[in-house]
Amino acid sequence: MSQHRLTGLTPGGKVDVLLGWDSPMSWFFLVIEPESDEPLYSNLYEQHPESLDLAHFQKVLERFGIKNINLSPGHESGLYELLQSERVANK
């Protein structure tokens, strides 16, 4: 299981972003948390979390106004490619 902890910058302040590949479940996951409250978003809140992909999670980041994290293919951050390689290696 891979886990990447990042700090997301939103119009309302900083949030913790946890994302990665869950090898036992065979799906990507994303959790967005403010510093002290319940998560603003978790893939487990979705009706079918097993069907979610990185494009969906990019839309979630955009919905929360998080612009400093990008999961698009070819983005200079390389997050998309890193996460896909972890999926292929089933880490």
Side-chain angles (χ1 to χ4, degrees):
M1 179 172 181
S2 69
Q3 290 189 8
H4 303 278
R5 293 185 180 276
L6 306 166
T7 299
L9 304 176
T10 73
K14 294 180 181 179
V15 293
D16 294 322
V17 176
L18 177 65
L19 66 116
W21 173 253
D22 186 329
S23 53
M25 299 302 290
S26 295
W27 66 38
F28 290 109
F29 65 90
L30 173 69
V31 179
I32 301 172
E33 298 178 301
E35 290 187 12
S36 62
D37 293 326
E38 292 294 313
L40 298 172
Y41 173 86
S42 170
N43 61 294
L44 297 178
Y45 297 166
E46 301 275 2
Q47 190 170 3
H48 298 287
E50 71 281 356
S51 68
L52 304 176
D53 60 12
L54 297 177
H56 175 81
F57 291 151
Q58 178 60 40
K59 290 176 188 172
V60 171
L61 292 170
E62 292 168 2
R63 187 172 75 221
F64 284 97
I66 300 171
K67 296 181 180 173
N68 67 309
I69 299 171
N70 194 300
L71 301 175
S72 299
H75 187 268
E76 64 186 33
S77 69
L79 276 173
Y80 175 88
E81 289 77 13
L82 175 62
L83 291 163
Q84 289 294 353
S85 70
E86 291 169 346
R87 179 187 62 81
V88 169
N90 206 28
K91 287 187 176 181

